[in-house]
Amino acid sequence: MARPRFLPDNFTLALVTTVLLATFLPCEGQTAVVFGKVTYAAIALLFFLHGAKLSREAVIAGATHWRLHLLVFASTFVLFPVLGFALKPILSPLVTPDLYLGVLFLCTLPSTVQSSIAFTSMARGNVPAAVCSASASSLIGIFLTPLLVSVLVVSHGGGTTSWHSIIDIMVQLLLPFLAGQVARRWIGGWVERNKALLRFVDQGSILLVVYTAFSEAVIQGLWHKTPVVALGGLLVVNGVLLAVALFSTRTAARKLGFDKEDEITIVFCGSKKSLASGVPMANVLFAGHAVGAIVLPLMLFHQVQLMVCAVLAQRYRRRHEEPIAVGQTAS
């Protein structure tokens, strides 16, 4: 039986269930300590498997396309932060101050890896370039996101950024990734054959972090401080950010003369934000704050970008197939 289109995907349902669980059964005390250690290990395992999965040949094949990567990085690490700061007078009244700190944090994050590549492939874009661009964005974000947070977020009253925070992020994310790259020669084939395991670790680690973050936030009174109208406003804020990013990347790609395959890669890699990297980074950078309120904009943006980009990828794919169909008819 086909799944009804109006139903969210399984991961979104799992995220909602996790938030509800944290709302009614938050972990605290020694249980929270245990969950924190398990979550740390799960995130490290996730980035280790990502390192083992990433093909160096694909990276080398896509790395030479420097103009494309430069445009993607400009969208990810320049356009988004500028939008978050410039639109604050217009958008911040729609949400609470803590939620807008989360919006600013969202704007500093790297691009997501899996969905960027998946949508590029679905739309018939330049997949090797997408692999290189999204992966490089994720790695560069380990260094650049804390620096952007120190400028964009800390100056607006949230989070603390120091070399200690950057080192913590490197230890949790970068070192396991590099270890995975080293181990790829031995386990790379096994990881490729067991992609379901990577998906399970990916989604499971995010759910663990969301549960622990929201548990702490609920105990600190997150839902008492967040009116329902602010959640509606957050949806509007995320929609505006995504719409501007999609329009800007598409327009820039066409103005700069990129072909259709490269345009697709630029649009899908330059408009996304990583939930997998963002949630553990928030745990480090906003220790002592209501992390649940910080990651809530990212969780919602993640779902919005998936739904919108799924539709956009199908449109790109149909445009790619139409000339083929016409040519077959003519012959």
Side-chain angles (χ1 to χ4, degrees):
M1 183 177 178
R3 185 189 188 93
R5 291 186 177 181
F6 61 84
L7 284 181
D9 62 273
N10 290 335
F11 182 57
T12 301
L13 294 175
L15 274 175
V16 173
T17 302
T18 302
V19 171
L20 290 175
L21 183 63
T23 299
F24 296 105
L25 291 173
C27 65
E28 51 186 321
Q30 189 60 34
T31 304
V33 174
V34 173
F35 265 95
K37 292 180 179 179
V38 172
T39 300
Y40 189 97
I43 292 294
L45 176 60
L46 167 65
F47 277 80
F48 173 81
L49 291 176
H50 274 301
K53 179 184 177 183
L54 182 62
S55 166
R56 293 171 192 168
E57 291 77 12
V59 172
I60 294 172
T64 56
H65 209 339
W66 63 269
R67 290 177 65 244
L68 180 149
H69 303 316
L70 191 61
L71 186 54
V72 170
F73 296 158
S75 175
T76 303
F77 296 116
V78 178
L79 175 64
F80 266 99
V82 168
L83 285 176
F85 178 77
L87 295 178
K88 184 182 179 184
I90 301 171
L91 299 180
S92 61
L94 300 176
V95 296
T96 65
D98 282 344
L99 286 179
Y100 203 78
L101 284 178
V103 172
L104 292 175
F105 172 64
L106 179 156
C107 290
T108 68
L109 290 172
S111 177
T112 185
V113 178
Q114 288 104 319
S115 62
S116 294
I117 297 170
F119 284 128
T120 299
S121 176
M122 184 188 304
R124 305 291 179 85
N126 187 337
V127 175
V131 171
C132 180
S133 191
S135 302
S137 175
S138 184
L139 292 177
I140 291 172
I142 292 174
F143 304 96
L144 195 53
T145 291
L147 298 178
L148 289 172
V149 167
S150 68
V151 174
L152 197 65
V153 183
V154 174
S155 61
H156 287 76
T160 56
T161 302
S162 62
W163 282 110
H164 179 72
S165 298
I166 297 175
I167 291 172
D168 282 347
I169 291 173
M170 290 175 61
V171 169
Q172 189 174 8
L173 306 184
L174 181 59
L175 288 185
F177 182 91
L178 295 178
Q181 278 281 285
V182 173
R184 175 175 169 78
R185 61 182 299 182
W186 299 289
I187 66 171
W190 181 85
V191 172
E192 286 291 337
R193 292 191 301 271
N194 294 271
K195 293 181 179 180
L197 173 64
L198 182 58
R199 189 182 307 113
F200 174 79
V201 175
D202 190 351
Q203 298 181 354
S205 59
I206 293 172
L207 293 176
L208 278 171
V209 178
V210 168
Y211 177 66
T212 54
F214 268 86
S215 291
E216 181 180 356
V218 167
I219 293 170
Q220 294 179 6
L222 170 65
W223 298 124
H224 296 293
K225 300 175 183 176
T226 308
V228 175
V229 67
L231 296 177
L234 183 58
L235 182 61
V236 174
V237 171
N238 281 336
V240 169
L241 289 175
L242 182 60
V244 174
L246 288 171
F247 176 79
S248 299
T249 49
R250 188 189 68 171
T251 302
R254 293 180 179 180
K255 293 289 186 183
L256 293 174
F258 288 95
D259 62 26
K260 184 61 67 175
E261 286 73 19
D262 288 344
E263 176 192 321
I264 290 169
T265 303
I266 291 165
V267 167
F268 288 123
C269 292
S271 62
K272 289 188 175 56
K273 292 295 180 177
S274 174
L275 187 65
S277 297
V279 176
M281 283 185 181
N283 257 0
V284 174
L285 297 173
F286 297 93
H289 284 68
V291 178
I294 298 296
V295 300
L296 187 57
L298 175 59
M299 289 172 56
L300 186 58
F301 187 87
H302 174 80
Q303 182 55 32
V304 172
Q305 73 183 9
L306 289 182
M307 292 189 298
V308 172
C309 289
V311 175
L312 191 58
Q314 291 292 348
R315 292 185 61 186
Y316 270 121
R317 186 185 183 94
R318 284 196 297 269
R319 290 177 182 177
H320 183 275
E321 292 174 346
E322 281 173 2
I324 299 175
V326 171
Q328 290 173 343
T329 302
S331 62

